[in-house]
Amino acid sequence: MRPLTPRRIILICAGLTGVLLIVVLIALRMGAYSISIQDIAMTLFRGALGRRDEILPDFWNVVFEIRLPRILLGILVGASLAVAGAGFQALLRNPLADPYVLGVSSGAALGAIVSLVIAPRTPGAIQVAAFVGAALTVAAVYFLGRRGGQLDSATLLLAGIVMASFLSAAIMFLITTLSGHDLLRGMAFWLMGDLASPPPTRDVLEWFGFLFFVFVIAAGAIYTTSSDLNLILSGEQEARHLGVNVNRVKLVVYISASILTGLAVSVSGAIGYVGLLVPHVMRMIFGTDYRLLIPTSVIGGAIAIVLADTLARTVMGPTELPVGAMTALAGAPVFIYLMRRRVR
Amino acid sequence: MRLFAYKMIFAAAAASTLLCIAGLTALRAQQAPPSASQEKAQAAAPESTARTLTDEAGLRVTIPAQVNRVISLAPNLTETIYALGLEDKLVGDTTYCDTPAAARAKPHVGDTINPSLETIVGLHPDLVFATMINRIDTVEGLSRMGIPVYTTDPRTVRGMFDSTAHVAELMGAPEQGKALVAQMQARLDALHAPLTDRPLVHVLFVVWKEPLITIGQNTFIADALRWAGAESVVVSKQDWPQLTFEEVVRLQPEYIVTASTHTGEEGKRSLEEFRALSQWKDLEAIKAGHLAVISDEVDKPSPGLIGAIEDLAHQLHPEAFAEKSTATGLIAAPREERTAKCAR
């Protein structure tokens, strides 16, 4: 294995970013409304210069109102879930950990359902309520998952799993008692994960700006712990002896990964598999060093979701599938292929 | 190690910032355009008479002066538009819109829960009709692009009349709407007279057999039952409550009412179906053959509902219409015979 140099990290990330750009272009091109790549380029160019008058209203709507916000949301959600997954896998020292293993998605779903009952048909209510639900779950799991005042991987995992099943039961109870509710039809979509929801604010710019800001802070915080995570993964005692503040690292990863998951779940529902599979795929391709794993997971997660959503929008056209169905359907075979190839 | 980490953080932060800036500049233009489009709308306003009104879901909608192209996002609305004879203005409907058969040939925009917004944009509608089964996300997404969405919410048979009149009025054909409503009202009045001094038949309306789903008292189906001289034995505030079979045995409905599928001659087959089920075959109503199978038009708050009400009234109260039927020839003979044979 070649040594990990900053140069190598930057080269790999640049390569992956190139792949992401190609995927974004494909996603912009594909869809029920057919629009040529030249028209997309011209629309983007004129849009960036603020010359909207020169753009056909149809092109404007398709590119700037429908496809681009969806792609940006996909990038953000995919990157958040993949980093959170990588973080939880290290924190819990469990390869099966994903962003939802500690019940964050169940808490968010419960919040979303409660919002449908209290404030039905209010744009943005679901997102806010889901985030509140996720935050409360994270706090509850944190207090349940400590032993001797410190985060303990095994206790945390158990607390999270118990919390997740308790909340899932509460969700099932609510769904059954509310089975008449017309609004629950949309809920099924939300539970599977869906990127079609428009931003809750009138100002799209402000919304994505806010989301990217939170993402950069939380993902950056996890990144600062990456060399410590490498040591912790080889053994907590050894890491302590080497001067790593294990408790601080765990707390930082727990909070940041929870924020990322809560954010992703609130805006798009529980999109499965990306948070579990992407870090593993990146490990298989680029190795287990967290200094490389975290940035590659960011870009890999974005690629995975944008691709999956493009498929979800087009395979059944004009009917759109929830992106969550596509990530599982397309993700599992890719993962099995990589796993078998490595075993051989 | 530390230095390396900081370098990497810097690189990651710089990359994310670049990504943010790139994404945000592309969206920057979005802030200005809404005002530009509003200006355009205002400039266009004086010569025509665009008007703003509140739809049945309580949302403000601006309706353009000329509505020549509409899209229906629900089967009952498609049917209403056909019943009004305004199908030439219908440029798109959903994959679920199959009544009348001609509706299948219209361009589809996807299903009711998740239609493709870009397909709708490509069809250039002046107005989109929705119901409460459509998600608020769809309505919100279309409104953002300046496509007006009028949501109907018929909860009773009279509510369906109002919605029909609204659709006709919005499509610039108020006379057709008034005529259709008057005709439907006349048919209900004709039904009402013979039923006035007859007791209500206590029925169980079966929406779904396994699990057993029935109707709540606030649905338009419950209202339709009352017009047909029947009353649901189940009193529930939920719209589509799920029942245990014990409850059915306790309530002992006089008649079981259910909607057919589109295939012909389902009446007899359905009774056999119920008799083949161990639970159902011992129910008094089923033993006595008290099963009324009516057209699935009863599932949709559209003008076809009146036909289903008439059919049900004739099946439940054959005596009330006995003399009349010979005069008007309204009743289908085989059903009359079958229900008449059942001792009550």
Side-chain angles (χ1 to χ4, degrees):
Chain A
M1 185 105 197
R2 280 187 293 150
L4 192 62
T5 58
R7 192 184 145 75
R8 190 159 162 252
I9 294 180
I10 288 165
L11 278 179
I12 288 173
C13 289
L16 278 176
T17 311
V19 175
L20 177 62
L21 282 178
I22 293 167
V23 168
V24 166
L25 274 182
I26 293 171
L28 273 175
R29 167 74 179 77
M30 305 281 282
Y33 189 100
S34 76
I35 175 168
S36 73
I37 202 88
Q38 290 95 325
D39 285 335
I40 286 172
M42 282 313 286
T43 307
L44 283 178
F45 180 69
R46 286 170 177 162
L49 293 179
R51 295 182 353 215
R52 190 185 169 176
D53 306 344
E54 299 166 24
I55 305 173
L56 275 178
D58 269 19
F59 289 176
W60 172 271
N61 279 337
V62 169
V63 173
F64 283 101
E65 296 282 352
I66 299 175
R67 292 187 192 165
L68 199 58
R70 205 165 157 151
I71 290 168
L72 286 180
L73 194 64
I75 290 175
L76 191 96
V77 167
S80 302
L81 289 177
V83 177
F88 278 126
Q89 281 161 12
L91 174 70
L92 302 170
R93 304 183 62 192
N94 188 324
L96 284 178
D98 75 355
Y100 309 136
V101 72
L102 297 183
V104 178
S105 64
S106 308
L110 191 62
I113 291 177
V114 169
S115 86
L116 283 180
V117 178
I118 297 171
R121 293 183 87 79
T122 312
I126 283 195
Q127 284 97 332
V128 174
F131 193 80
V132 172
L136 290 177
T137 312
V138 167
V141 171
Y142 173 76
F143 287 111
L144 292 173
R146 284 185 311 170
R147 206 163 64 175
Q150 291 165 0
L151 278 181
D152 175 69
S153 299
T155 319
L156 192 64
L157 189 57
L158 280 177
I161 287 171
V162 167
M163 188 57 99
S165 43
F166 174 76
L167 290 172
S168 301
I171 290 167
M172 285 315 293
F173 176 78
L174 270 181
I175 285 183
T176 319
T177 43
L178 296 172
S179 63
H181 239 276
D182 272 342
L183 302 156
L184 286 178
R185 274 176 245 231
M187 197 63 218
F189 241 84
W190 194 88
L191 287 174
M192 286 216 69
D194 178 34
L195 292 171
S197 305
T201 55
R202 265 279 150 208
D203 190 349
V204 180
L205 190 69
E206 210 170 73
W207 174 240
F208 281 111
F210 165 72
L211 292 182
F212 271 108
F213 178 74
V214 177
F215 170 77
V216 169
I217 302 269
I222 294 184
Y223 194 80
T224 59
T225 67
S226 52
S227 31
D228 294 339
L229 283 179
N230 286 336
L231 295 175
I232 291 176
L233 276 170
S234 60
E236 272 185 37
Q237 282 306 321
E238 289 84 340
R240 279 210 177 82
H241 293 313
L242 287 168
V244 176
N245 187 344
V246 174
N247 297 327
R248 207 191 108 252
V249 169
K250 280 183 167 179
L251 196 63
V252 167
V253 172
Y254 178 70
I255 293 174
S256 307
S258 298
I259 288 175
L260 288 173
T261 311
L263 196 74
V265 169
S266 318
V267 296
S268 66
I271 299 176
Y273 290 90
V274 171
L276 174 70
L277 294 191
V278 168
H280 282 303
V281 170
M282 292 303 151
R283 268 190 205 99
M284 287 171 191
I285 303 175
F286 300 112
T288 53
D289 193 320
Y290 265 74
R291 289 170 301 176
L292 182 58
L293 183 63
I294 287 174
T296 51
S297 290
V298 167
I299 308 168
I303 293 172
I305 294 259
V306 174
L307 261 185
D309 190 49
T310 307
L311 283 176
R313 283 190 298 128
T314 49
V315 284
M316 292 281 290
T319 295
E320 297 180 348
L321 299 173
V323 62
M326 214 28 90
T327 51
L329 220 63
V334 171
F335 184 71
I336 290 170
Y337 166 74
L338 280 168
M339 197 175 70
R340 295 303 305 169
R341 205 185 58 167
R342 204 173 60 143
V343 168
R344 222 183 288 137
Chain B
M1 194 64 107
R2 281 276 169 222
L3 192 66
F4 176 78
Y6 286 130
K7 265 188 198 161
M8 282 301 92
I9 300 159
F10 180 73
S16 332
T17 320
L18 277 178
L19 209 76
C20 282
I21 292 169
L24 296 184
T25 13
L27 279 168
R28 160 72 50 193
Q30 216 160 4
Q31 238 178 346
S35 59
S37 67
Q38 272 162 20
E39 274 164 32
K40 255 185 235 162
Q42 277 161 3
E47 51 199 88
S48 57
T49 46
R51 62 217 160 103
T52 302
L53 45 87
T54 308
D55 70 8
E56 293 170 32
L59 298 172
R60 302 288 287 168
V61 198
T62 301
I63 311 286
Q66 285 290 315
V67 176
N68 292 319
R69 300 175 65 84
V70 302
I71 287 175
S72 152
L73 292 183
N76 66 311
L77 291 167
T78 304
E79 216 180 308
T80 304
I81 291 168
Y82 271 92
L84 288 164
L86 298 173
E87 65 269 23
D88 291 345
K89 291 185 175 183
L90 183 70
V91 295
D93 61 11
T94 71
T95 49
Y96 297 155
C97 298
D98 53 3
T99 316
R104 287 188 202 147
K106 292 279 182 188
H108 294 323
V109 300
D111 64 22
T112 52
I113 303 289
N114 222 25
S116 158
L117 296 190
E118 41 190 86
T119 307
I120 297 175
V121 167
L123 289 169
H124 303 109
D126 298 318
L127 180 61
V128 173
F129 286 111
T131 72
M132 298 299 268
I133 65 168
N134 301 113
R135 287 194 299 165
I136 187 71
D137 289 351
T138 308
V139 177
E140 176 71 11
L142 288 171
S143 312
R144 269 173 182 273
M145 294 185 281
I147 298 173
V149 184
Y150 186 92
T151 307
T152 63
D153 185 21
R155 301 234 141 219
T156 59
V157 176
R158 291 219 191 262
M160 184 268 284
F161 289 1
D162 293 341
S163 297
T164 304
H166 289 156
V167 169
E169 206 266 326
L170 291 167
M171 290 178 75
E175 305 80 29
Q176 269 108 310
K178 276 184 199 130
L180 182 60
V181 167
Q183 186 208 333
M184 292 191 289
Q185 185 63 58
R187 284 168 72 184
L188 279 190
D189 291 342
L191 210 54
H192 188 61
L195 291 177
T196 34
D197 48 352
R198 297 196 63 87
L200 291 173
V201 180
H202 295 98
V203 303
L204 174 74
F205 189 94
V206 179
V207 176
W208 201 257
K209 256 187 297 190
E210 198 61 45
L212 180 56
I213 309 256
T214 184
I215 52 163
Q217 74 240 40
N218 295 328
T219 56
F220 64 89
I221 298 181
D223 193 52
L225 289 181
R226 287 188 278 272
W227 282 103
E231 188 177 42
S232 175
V233 285
V234 177
V235 176
S236 170
K237 281 216 167 67
Q238 286 182 34
D239 284 350
W240 316 108
Q242 190 176 329
L243 283 188
T244 65
F245 203 80
E246 271 185 45
E247 188 67 3
V248 180
V249 173
R250 189 182 74 79
L251 292 166
Q252 283 298 338
E254 294 171 65
Y255 249 92
I256 308 295
V257 181
T258 188
S260 71
T261 45
H262 281 292
T263 47
E265 286 223 278
E266 59 292 292
K268 269 182 208 150
R269 241 187 56 217
S270 205
L271 188 58
E272 281 155 20
E273 261 172 44
F274 276 97
R275 282 188 168 151
L277 297 168
S278 58
Q279 287 182 318
W280 288 91
K281 74 172 194 288
D282 295 326
L283 197 70
E284 292 302 327
I286 293 294
K287 269 196 211 161
H290 283 182
L291 175 75
V293 181
I294 50 174
S295 131
D296 70 344
E297 290 294 302
V298 76
D299 294 339
K300 277 177 279 181
S302 61
L305 181 61
I306 304 298
I309 293 175
E310 286 172 344
D311 185 14
L312 182 63
H314 285 288
Q315 288 193 46
L316 296 179
H317 300 280
E319 303 89 341
F321 298 98
E323 319 90 61
K324 247 195 137 185
S325 68
T326 47
T328 56
L330 253 175
I331 309 165
R335 275 202 176 136
E336 160 107 60
E337 269 168 36
R338 184 164 55 78
T339 40
K341 259 187 274 174
C342 312
R344 295 196 48 219

